[in-house]
Amino acid sequence: MAQKPLRLLACGDVEGKFDVLFNRVRAIQKKSGNFDLLLCVGNFFGSTPDAEWEKYKTGIKKAPIQTYVLGANNQETVKYFQDADGCELAENITYLGRKGIFTGSSGLQIVYLSGTESLNEPVPGYSFSPKDVSSLRTMLCSTSQFKGVDILLTSPWPKYVGNFGNSSGEVDTKKCGSALVSSLATDLKPRYHFAALEKTYYERLPYRNHIVLQENAQHATRFIALASVGNPEKKKYLYAFSIVPMKLMETAELVKQPPDVTENPYRKSGKEASMGKQISAPEEESACQFFFDLNEKQGRKRSSTGRDNKSPHPKQPRKPPQPPGPCWFCLASPEVEKHLVVNIGTHCYLALAKGGLSDDHVLILPIGHYQSVVELSTEVVEEVEKYKVTLRRFFKSRGKRCVLFERNYKSHHLQLQIAQPGAAYFYVELDTGEKLFHRIKKNFPLQFGREVLASEAILNIPDKSDWRQCQLSKEEEEMLARRFRKDFEPFDFTLDD
């Protein structure tokens, strides 16, 4: 049975407007049902008189939901937070503490850091230091099993959070915010990071926590900055979301990349991406390749859990991601032409290219619908690599060389290797181990890879540069597929028990 998601609320600077906040929460819960927790970042107390707070402190009024708050960000409000380790401030209102980790009964892990950045000693009671950040990092990241945390709560924004992302409005993220918080977010890899203090709402595009082409896919991070409660501009100060603790999620689901994911804003890059611009999704290419049926196993005996029973990785979800529209590369497509399929693995398959450059022109494709490798779970990536190694051996045994290439432009199903969802690129891998990667910024020839290989300088078959001019009859395609299957059989790792 699937784990029921937790329903949470996050709030920006309350600044003493407790009635406004809690009346709003009551209205939301009346309309949408109860939430499990309310998490408050920024200034919980303000410069207003304490009369309103006294009613909550003495129990005359009560928060309608279990509320967790961060500590002081200025000297004026330090008096409200006497215990550095956290304490109950009023019924249903709890101060988390200066820094630490809160783990709920569900397994949800929340890391919190109260105050603003200070590089001076002694550190004021409303600030955190590099030592505080270092101790949090040590507490969490010292084990090899550490993958990240569910939620990070800080009052200041992380510095540079706007890099590679959508516009942060009037807030200059190169000048505002805390570099220590940026460093902490980099190491802790929170799935959600909430902050406040800048009096505005900013929901950054999700960013990835791994390096494409170099590291296995990891979960993405969503940074959300919230405005002040009851602000006259009616900027968003309350954020509702649902979350399943990452400890209860399968890896494949956890690392699924959002379509608008960006580079990590805190990593140094040779070139900074332009600020505040979103790349519009390219048009989809009309279908031109047709493949196989999920349930067709071609009579081959295979383990249902894959070739290697020692694999520590969890199984893929039963339902692969669904395409936004018709996808001729997906197994469930009613238009599929099964006769082109020449080999089926556990997570990937091989199929002859329609109108191929040669009789053994094949494609490596994932069984589920994925736009690119960065979206794949570890076990799928491993099988793609296994196919690549096997195909190199196969072609070498026949005195041939092979070139692998992929285009993530005007298509939405991964057709071979290495990818970056939300951005267009062309990737080539030679059998010598050399890899070429080109980021597509404007128009790009859809058949570029094919045209280069067909050119006089390489295969010298320029008349085959357009696949539509090379189509064969179904009988001819079936003959080529049978021949490839027979020739490939000695190299077929899917036959291993």
Side-chain angles (χ1 to χ4, degrees), residues 136-425:
L136 271 178
R137 186 184 293 116
T138 302
M139 274 191 279
L140 286 156
C141 305
S142 56
T143 65
S144 58
Q145 290 80 27
F146 178 75
K147 294 181 179 179
V149 298
D150 291 303
I151 299 171
L152 173 62
L153 304 178
T154 64
S155 287
W157 289 28
K159 200 171 185 180
Y160 310 117
V161 71
N163 286 356
F164 314 126
N166 47 317
S167 173
S168 54
E170 297 178 0
V171 179
D172 185 348
T173 60
K174 290 185 177 180
K175 297 178 180 179
C176 296
S178 164
L180 287 178
V181 171
S182 301
S183 171
L184 186 64
T186 301
D187 292 329
L188 298 192
K189 303 172 186 176
R191 293 164 66 199
Y192 285 88
H193 180 182
F194 294 98
L197 297 185
E198 299 297 338
K199 314 299 181 187
T200 192
Y201 168 70
Y202 172 51
E203 183 170 2
R204 190 201 185 281
L205 291 173
Y207 64 84
R208 62 173 63 92
N209 283 296
H210 62 276
I211 302 174
V212 177
L213 307 182
Q214 297 181 34
E215 298 174 335
N216 289 334
Q218 299 178 40
H219 59 269
T221 293
R222 289 171 167 81
F223 171 76
I224 297 107
L226 294 161
S228 303
V229 170
N231 66 86
E233 296 87 5
K234 299 189 182 302
K235 294 178 181 178
K236 188 170 184 174
Y237 64 84
L238 206 54
Y239 185 93
F241 65 109
S242 297
I243 185 171
V244 173
M246 65 189 303
K247 290 182 178 180
L248 304 179
M249 296 180 68
E250 292 201 19
T251 301
E253 185 63 26
L254 178 64
V255 304
K256 181 76 170 65
Q257 301 292 294
D260 52 355
V261 71
T262 76
E263 293 296 337
N264 190 308
Y266 314 125
R267 282 207 178 99
K268 291 183 179 178
S269 173
K271 262 189 177 181
E272 274 197 353
S274 58
M275 299 290 288
K277 295 180 181 178
Q278 297 185 46
I279 302 174
S280 57
E283 296 175 4
E284 301 296 343
E285 180 184 9
S286 57
C288 62
Q289 306 279 357
F290 311 89
F291 302 113
F292 71 100
D293 184 340
L294 177 62
N295 298 316
E296 185 73 67
K297 300 302 181 186
Q298 298 180 341
R300 298 189 177 185
K301 183 179 177 183
R302 317 214 304 270
S303 165
S304 62
T305 57
R307 305 295 84 71
D308 185 1
N309 292 328
K310 297 179 181 178
S311 173
H313 305 294
K315 296 178 182 178
Q316 272 195 265
R318 293 180 182 177
K319 273 193 174 183
Q322 298 302 303
C327 179
W328 306 102
F329 298 97
C330 286
L331 301 178
S333 172
E335 310 294 335
V336 75
E337 293 189 28
K338 292 184 288 185
H339 67 279
L340 290 172
V341 178
V342 292
N343 191 264
I344 305 174
T346 303
H347 308 290
C348 308
Y349 67 94
L350 295 181
L352 288 181
K354 200 167 184 71
L357 283 168
S358 63
D359 291 349
D360 45 16
H361 181 174
V362 292
L363 302 175
I364 306 174
L365 300 104
I367 287 174
H369 177 87
Y370 299 95
Q371 182 181 349
S372 58
V373 162
V374 77
E375 297 187 58
L376 303 181
S377 60
T378 304
E379 58 267 35
V380 184
V381 174
E382 287 176 351
E383 191 164 273
V384 169
E385 291 297 323
K386 208 167 185 178
Y387 267 122
K388 287 163 58 179
V389 170
T390 303
L391 284 169
R392 288 193 188 101
R393 287 177 49 234
F394 168 70
F395 286 118
K396 186 176 181 180
S397 72
R398 304 175 71 80
K400 297 182 179 181
R401 302 184 64 184
C402 64
V403 176
L404 307 173
F405 68 91
E406 182 197 1
R407 165 180 51 80
N408 184 33
Y409 177 66
K410 294 191 177 181
S411 62
H412 57 208
H413 190 114
L414 168 65
Q415 296 175 35
L416 185 63
Q417 253 306 301
I418 315 306
Q420 183 178 340
Y425 68 89

Side-chain angles (χ1 to χ4, degrees), residues 2 28 30 78 96 120 177 198 230 246 265 270 283 287 298-299 334 433 438 448 463:
I28 290 173
K30 184 177 180 180
V78 169
L96 285 167
N120 301 319
E198 299 297 338
M246 65 189 303
E283 296 175 4
Q298 298 180 341
H438 173 67
F448 176 74
D463 55 317

